[in-house]
Amino acid sequence: MSDTPVTVALKRAAAEDLSFVMATERLPEHESLIGRWSAERHMAAMASDDFAYLIAFASGAPVGFAILRELTDPHGNIGLQRIAMVAPGRGFGRAFLDQLLDWVFAETSCHRLCLEVFTANARARHVYASLGFVEEGILREVVRRGDDTRVDQALMSILRPEWQARRSAG
Ligand SMILES: CC(C)(COP(=O)(O)OP(=O)(O)OC[C@H]1O[C@@H](n2cnc3c(N)ncnc32)[C@H](O)[C@@H]1OP(=O)(O)O)[C@@H](O)C(=O)NCCC(=O)NCCS
């Protein structure tokens, strides 16, 4: 990767972005890493105050999406339901997550942003940890695969004071 900082622009998704979201979550290489929802499930989530869909753009083209859940949680716990890039490994994902953290803590009253990631997904765990997410524990055998095997997920979170400290440190 070059030393030029990777930048992405972030925008709230609209209904016309749903085809991009669904095509990206259905990329074959993402199959074992993230979930996939039907158009009906996405549309219901998009229409709900509990969810926010964000799209990352680079050079005017969409490069990834993220779905946040529980935006109305009274305790200020927001969940990162899903994030996926069209072409992982180009630095867009880290830049997107960095901006997503700013968006969450600036635009909402979130205190704790959490996520679950498959323990085998070393790339995502690396990116989350390098942006300040702390591993809280392992959800043992929490997901059953289509072949009936069960796999673990790591629970990770970042708290508002931790995000603020990182921003103050520059
Ligand atoms: C997770 C994801 C959003 C990260 O975005 P990305 O664009 O690939 O990330 P970047 O290119 O910015 O950074 C990748 C980092 O992981 C590192 N990495 C790559 N493969 C790795 C591996 N197997 N183990 C550990 N680190 C790895 C890279 O070296 C890079 O590290 P650096 O930023 O310290 O240089 C993206 O990979 C993705 O869409 N993955 C598929 C869906 C997914 O896994 N979503 C998360 C579900 S919880």
Side-chain angles (χ1 to χ4, degrees):
M1 202 178 295
S2 87
D3 289 340
T4 313
V6 175
T7 56
V8 297
L10 178 154
K11 76 152 198 166
R12 275 299 279 269
E16 62 262 27
D17 298 309
L18 189 51
S19 56
F20 169 76
V21 169
M22 291 185 65
T24 305
E25 70 186 2
R26 281 164 177 72
L27 289 173
E29 61 264 41
H30 294 349
E31 186 171 1
S32 64
L33 305 175
I34 56 171
R36 298 165 172 176
W37 285 351
S38 66
E40 292 69 30
R41 181 132 189 228
H42 277 300
M43 285 190 289
M46 270 184 159
S48 161
D49 289 343
D50 232 11
F51 287 85
Y53 282 59
L54 300 171
I55 309 283
F57 284 85
S59 306
V63 292
F65 78 90
I67 304 173
L68 296 162
R69 63 169 189 259
E70 292 157 73
L71 270 79
T72 60
D73 177 60
H75 302 284
N77 292 301
I78 289 182
L80 177 60
Q81 175 70 36
R82 193 166 301 153
I83 182 167
M85 310 312 292
V86 174
R90 298 187 186 175
F92 292 135
R94 165 186 289 281
F96 184 25
L97 272 162
D98 199 40
Q99 288 214 28
L100 180 144
L101 288 172
D102 286 349
W103 187 90
V104 165
F105 289 113
E107 300 294 328
T108 78
S109 55
C110 179
H111 180 74
R112 174 177 171 276
L113 176 65
C114 69
L115 60 88
E116 297 91 42
V117 54
F118 290 112
T119 50
N121 192 348
R123 179 176 57 194
R125 289 173 79 182
H126 168 82
V127 175
Y128 295 139
S130 66
L131 287 167
F133 282 85
V134 173
E135 196 166 295
E136 296 182 333
I138 301 296
L139 304 167
R140 298 181 304 153
E141 300 188 4
V142 67
V143 172
R144 190 174 64 205
R145 298 285 198 195
D147 63 0
D148 246 12
T149 57
R150 303 198 69 98
V151 288
D152 298 346
Q153 289 186 315
L155 180 60
M156 303 183 81
S157 73
I158 181 167
L159 306 179
R160 178 176 287 271
E162 293 168 344
W163 167 78
Q164 279 166 335
R166 289 178 68 85
R167 285 294 170 264
S168 305

